[in-house]
Amino acid sequence: MNYYVALPLIAVIFNIIITTYVYARNRHSPVNQSYILLSVFFIVWMFFDVFLWSPIDPAWITPLLKAQSLFWLPVSFLFANFTYVFLNKKRDGIYYSFLAFAVVASAISISGDMVYKGYTREFFGVGIDAGPLFVPFRSEEHTSELQSH
């Protein structure tokens, strides 16, 4: 039994509760809709960690890591989207460049070994062996989060 799996599991449960509350309060508000979309991507991303940190067949690890990247790569764009909607800011070139980057990065991530080269077994679960584009993609995420403010 891996006790470290409790950390992402608690985060998933906590986020589901908050997202359900926001959904129940006013799901038709554009701000709430953008928050719910962002939160759902966080929930799925953390749910993948629950699986990856659990004892699973090694044949599933690489496909799960690639599938997980479909949810962590667009998070920066979804955060920027939430910020634009929250501030009632008109969508501009920066917004659409983040969208294009998220789509391209997600396609690159699932199609090859440029983001994930492999994995290593760690004491908590699975550690990532970063490919050559992992660090640039992570750096762009932080840049987009800063730009959206």
Side-chain angles (χ1 to χ4, degrees):
M1 173 75 184
N2 183 359
Y3 296 107
Y4 294 100
V5 79
L7 295 173
L9 186 58
I10 290 168
V12 166
I13 292 168
F14 186 70
N15 277 315
I16 288 172
I17 291 168
I18 291 173
T19 304
T20 303
Y21 175 77
V22 170
Y23 180 81
R25 291 285 293 169
N26 183 4
R27 66 182 165 266
H28 299 295
S29 163
V31 173
N32 288 353
Q33 287 177 345
S34 63
Y35 171 77
I36 290 168
L37 183 61
L38 174 63
S39 183
V40 165
F41 271 70
F42 273 128
I43 289 167
V44 175
W45 178 9
M46 288 182 274
F47 202 68
F48 272 103
D49 279 340
V50 170
F51 282 117
L52 288 167
W53 291 9
S54 300
I56 60 172
D57 183 23
W60 285 95
I61 294 174
T62 300
L64 283 175
L65 284 172
K66 289 185 178 195
Q68 183 185 34
S69 71
L70 294 175
F71 294 94
W72 69 260
L73 282 168
V75 161
S76 63
F77 165 71
L78 294 172
F79 179 75
N81 179 56
F82 173 73
T83 305
Y84 272 70
V85 172
F86 183 75
L87 297 176
N88 203 17
K89 187 176 176 183
K90 188 175 191 266
R91 294 175 179 162
D92 54 9
I94 293 173
Y95 176 89
Y96 290 111
S97 66
F98 290 148
L99 172 61
F101 178 82
V103 170
V104 170
S106 296
I108 290 171
S109 176
I110 62 170
S111 65
D113 295 336
M114 298 300 287
V115 177
Y116 291 123
K117 189 170 45 174
Y119 67 92
T120 56
R121 287 285 188 179
E122 302 287 345
F123 64 94
F124 60 84
V126 173
I128 298 168
D129 293 338
L133 292 179
F134 183 81
V135 172
F137 284 178
R138 292 297 297 177
S139 299
E140 186 283 332
E141 278 202 4
H142 295 298
T143 302
S144 68
E145 290 168 0
L146 292 174
Q147 289 289 331
S148 65
H149 293 281

